[in-house]
Amino acid sequence: MAERQEQTAPDAVLTRIGQVVMLHHGGDREEARSRLLDLWAEVGQDGDPVHRCTLAHYLADTQDDPSDELAWDLRALSAAEELAAGSEGPTALHTFYPSLHLNLATDYVKLGHSEAARIHLRRARGAAGALADDSYGDGVRAAMIRLELRLGEADPPGGDPWGPPRRQPT
């Protein structure tokens, strides 16, 4: 019974991250960045990959410099890949891959690296099947479409943005 309670007990670090994210969404970016950095120091470079991925993902959002944002998003992806490498099946971060790659694509656009952006946008699109049909999934898919349009990668109207590119009738 104790083992079962441990498995269902809330994760205190993720709860704390969520509280800081609410602070950030409330408009206090500097304080959120400071608190997330404190949590990063507490979790450490070798901490739980779920914690590191989540922290790095949100730390990226608090950065002023696009290069710093990219560095944090790369840390988030690295932690997710570390978790996936140690697992035989889908991980807790499986549905996070579309967002992770989308964030990297956006970072590369900000830095003027359109080919790197396209690579990560394709990876985001390839991982999009893991997204649920809910508001989160809809938001990530909509953001992918907006970035595709910005990069000139969108299919013609009526095409399936998650399938292979359509050919125009000749």
Side-chain angles (χ1 to χ4, degrees):
M1 184 68 171
E3 180 181 322
R4 187 175 187 170
Q5 287 176 339
E6 284 178 24
Q7 291 175 350
T8 61
D11 184 319
V13 174
L14 292 178
T15 299
R16 290 168 60 203
I17 293 169
Q19 292 168 340
V20 176
V21 169
M22 289 172 47
L23 179 70
H24 179 232
H25 289 167
D28 198 342
R29 184 179 179 142
E30 293 296 322
E31 182 64 20
R33 179 175 35 227
S34 175
R35 289 185 189 190
L36 288 170
L37 285 169
D38 289 346
L39 280 168
W40 180 264
E42 184 180 316
V43 167
Q45 294 286 352
D46 297 320
D48 183 328
V50 172
H51 296 159
R52 288 186 288 119
C53 178
T54 307
L55 277 166
H57 173 72
Y58 288 116
L59 268 161
D61 293 342
T62 67
Q63 301 306 305
D64 297 322
D65 184 307
S67 295
D68 294 336
E69 186 174 359
L70 173 63
W72 283 109
D73 280 330
L74 287 169
R75 285 181 187 103
L77 180 62
S78 177
E81 289 174 341
E82 180 184 326
L83 184 66
S87 173
E88 292 182 22
T91 68
L93 299 176
H94 186 70
T95 59
F96 213 29
Y97 276 103
S99 178
L100 292 171
H101 284 292
L102 177 62
N103 288 347
L104 286 165
T106 302
D107 296 341
Y108 283 119
V109 166
K110 289 176 186 176
L111 292 167
H113 301 296
S114 58
E115 189 51 41
R118 286 183 177 92
I119 289 168
H120 282 282
L121 183 56
R122 283 191 294 273
R123 290 177 183 166
R125 196 181 310 129
L131 294 169
D133 286 330
D134 58 11
S135 61
Y136 173 76
D138 291 345
V140 173
R141 284 187 288 270
M144 281 190 241
I145 291 169
R146 287 191 302 272
L147 191 56
E148 287 171 344
L149 290 169
R150 186 171 176 185
L151 289 169
E153 296 234 332
D155 279 341
D160 177 3
W162 313 118
R166 288 182 6 161
R167 293 187 180 217
Q168 292 294 321
T170 55

